[in-house]
Amino acid sequence: MKRLLLVFLPVLTLYAAHAGSVPPDDGKLRIICFGAHPDDCEIQAGGVGAMWSAKGHHVKLVSVTNGDIGHWRDAGGPLAKRRKAEAEAADQILGVTCEVLDIHDGELLPTLDNRRLITRLIREWKADIVIAPRPNDYHPDHRYTGVLVQDAAYMVTVPFFCPDVPYLKNNPVFLYYPDPFQKPNPFQPDVAVATDSVIQKRLDALDALVSQFYEGGANGYPELLPSDPAKQKERRAKVRGDFEKRYEAQAQRFRAKLAEFYGPDKANSIRYAEAFEICEYGRHPDQQELKKLFPFFGE
Ligand SMILES: [Zn+2]
């Protein structure tokens, strides 16, 4: 008996760690967001992610690469470790689950292996909603994250593709983050959410991504890092202020869509927003289902 237990113990431990990372089937919504780098999901869906999480829904943010060239001074393993720790700290503030895949930054390709990887992650999370960048974003890693999620959008329902992970009987709703790119077609919002109630929390989360914003990431430079504490405070305030302006601009850009969901009076008082476009692949929710998937409009 003892020997049998010893043989099975490693298997049991592995199973427990794996099962622990997937939330229970408790009827709550299950959302998985993909970004190319350990900051993309936090920028694009941190607000609505925190709002879902506050209502007990299950949100996971996945960075498809490890971000190991995303800095002007540091690179490689030490930077990957630092960025993973930063993303974990940010996601803890947002109340969401964090995963950073160990693929080199700047080298993501839409391979069959990566299609399987993304398919498995969506299935394991038993996602109702999957969010990703559009495949015409400026950065190759963003583009291929978009392509990989599109490639998985139908395959998650196909039983004999990756038969090691149970397929999804209900195709999730796939959504895109907003971007400014016009060709071949501009982003068109299908749903817009006021994130005023979580703006401080989402700015705190972005504040935790020090290497990217405070230090400037890949395009930063030494002069961004003042040694004088007063100037450091100024730098932090500037980073926070710039993000605040970004979400204000989004509320302005998506005001008409906010009005559809909140009514025109309420929409005019909304200061910060996030918006998403429904991907043509995956399930197509009508307005009524969108209100169930985004249970925030009566507030
Ligand atoms: Zn990125």
Side-chain angles (χ1 to χ4, degrees), residues 106-139:
E107 299 184 12
L108 182 66
L109 288 172
T111 61
L112 181 54
D113 275 351
N114 286 338
R115 185 190 302 167
R116 290 193 181 112
L117 178 65
I118 300 297
T119 299
R120 287 191 178 104
L121 283 165
I122 296 170
R123 284 182 180 174
E124 282 167 355
W125 199 251
K126 297 179 190 165
D128 300 300
I129 300 175
V130 182
I131 319 184
R134 296 198 307 149
N136 59 326
D137 209 296
Y138 79 103
H139 191 300

Side-chain angles (χ1 to χ4, degrees), residues 3-225:
R3 201 187 293 163
L4 203 72
L5 204 75
L6 277 173
V7 169
F8 280 106
L9 204 58
V11 180
L12 285 172
T13 314
L14 259 177
Y15 178 75
H18 176 77
S21 66
V22 177
D25 286 324
D26 55 5
K28 291 290 185 178
L29 293 168
R30 308 168 81 91
I31 301 101
I32 188 164
C33 302
F34 291 93
H37 307 111
D39 64 350
D40 291 320
C41 292
E42 287 78 5
I43 292 174
Q44 294 279 35
V48 74
M51 288 166 68
W52 270 316
S53 164
K55 288 182 177 290
H57 302 297
H58 306 299
V59 183
K60 182 175 192 175
L61 307 188
V62 179
S63 174
V64 181
T65 78
N66 61 17
D68 61 354
I69 58 163
H71 202 271
W72 49 273
R73 183 192 59 209
D74 306 324
L79 179 61
K81 269 192 184 165
R82 184 181 182 205
R83 295 196 64 185
K84 186 167 187 280
E86 286 178 349
E88 283 168 352
D91 294 356
Q92 196 166 8
I93 294 170
L94 298 171
V96 303
T97 300
C98 178
E99 181 155 0
V100 178
L101 303 179
D102 199 15
I103 294 174
H104 288 303
D105 187 347
E107 299 184 12
L108 182 66
L109 288 172
T111 61
L112 181 54
D113 275 351
N114 286 338
R115 185 190 302 167
R116 290 193 181 112
L117 178 65
I118 300 297
T119 299
R120 287 191 178 104
L121 283 165
I122 296 170
R123 284 182 180 174
E124 282 167 355
W125 199 251
K126 297 179 190 165
D128 300 300
I129 300 175
V130 182
I131 319 184
R134 296 198 307 149
N136 59 326
D137 209 296
Y138 79 103
H139 191 300
D141 293 341
H142 294 198
R143 282 202 293 280
Y144 295 135
T145 298
V147 168
L148 283 162
V149 174
Q150 283 190 342
D151 287 354
Y154 171 62
M155 301 315 284
V156 293
T157 68
V158 174
F160 289 103
F161 185 71
C162 299
D164 55 316
V165 182
Y167 65 97
L168 298 182
K169 295 196 175 82
N170 291 323
N171 206 352
V173 171
F174 288 77
L175 302 172
Y176 295 125
Y177 307 119
D179 62 62
F181 304 105
Q182 302 293 309
K183 295 174 184 174
N185 57 299
F187 173 88
Q188 290 182 310
D190 288 303
V191 58
V193 181
T195 53
D196 297 32
S197 64
V198 290
I199 186 67
Q200 290 311 322
K201 197 188 264 194
R202 81 169 331 317
L203 293 177
D204 290 346
L206 292 169
D207 212 29
L209 302 166
V210 177
S211 71
Q212 296 309 291
F213 308 125
Y214 186 81
E215 296 181 5
N219 298 129
Y221 44 89
E223 292 70 33
L224 280 181
L225 308 181

Side-chain angles (χ1 to χ4, degrees), residues 238-281:
K238 176 166 177 8
V239 170
R240 245 181 130 88
D242 286 348
F243 271 115
E244 208 177 332
K245 279 184 214 138
R246 176 188 178 120
Y247 301 118
E248 275 179 337
Q250 289 197 165
Q252 203 54 27
R253 179 179 173 196
F254 303 125
R255 190 78 63 198
K257 190 53 66 176
L258 288 167
E260 276 178 38
F261 286 89
Y262 291 92
D265 289 347
K266 176 89 199 283
N268 280 333
S269 69
I270 291 169
R271 203 166 153 196
Y272 309 102
E274 286 172 14
F276 305 93
E277 176 175 345
I278 299 167
C279 170
E280 288 177 293
Y281 320 138

